[in-house]
Structures are given as structure tokens and as C-alpha cells.
Amino acid sequence: INGNLKARRRVKLLKEILARFGFDERRVKLTWIGASEGVDFAKTVKELVAEVKALGPSDVRTQMVI
């Protein structure tokens, strides 16, 4: 019943945590798509893949201090 609200809060928190570690928040996306919307799902996945490819590899590894 309220899973979508929980997911929204969790994704918001995840983006904040990832930002602290130097990841671009555009690498995570939450979209509401119904089970009968296969075409929309495929389009959304393709768009996200294109966005992440455009961002290129994350430079977080080079910024890490061990």
C-alpha cells in the first residue's frame, strides 16, 4: 500500500549517501511504471543507460585515500 512512499524515501537517502562518497546522483533513478507498461520500462532503462554512459566512469576510485 505504501511501498512507493518507502521507496521514494530510500532513494532520496541513497542519493545523499552516494553524494557523500562522490557519486553523481544522476546514476540513480526512481520512476513509477506499471506492470503493463513494458514499452515505457524499456524506454526508461535505455534513457538511464545512455545518461550513465554519457557521465562516463566514476572517478571515485581515483579520489579514494587509503
Side-chain angles (χ1 to χ4, degrees):
I1 294 173
N2 61 358
N4 56 346
L5 299 176
K6 288 180 181 179
R8 185 184 311 165
R9 285 193 300 263
R10 289 176 180 167
V11 168
K12 181 181 176 193
L13 179 61
L14 175 62
K15 286 183 176 188
E16 291 172 8
I17 292 169
L18 290 176
R20 290 183 186 176
F21 284 99
F23 287 96
D24 191 320
E25 72 174 32
R26 292 176 290 177
R27 294 181 182 274
V28 176
K29 188 174 198 174
L30 177 65
T31 305
W32 310 123
I33 300 175
S36 65
E37 299 173 302
V39 174
D40 291 338
F41 176 75
K43 179 183 172 192
T44 301
V45 171
K46 286 178 184 179
E47 289 172 356
L48 180 60
V49 168
E51 288 177 34
V52 172
K53 282 184 178 181
L55 291 172
S58 174
D59 60 351
V60 171
R61 287 186 185 176
T62 59
Q63 295 176 359
M64 290 177 60
V65 177
I66 300 176

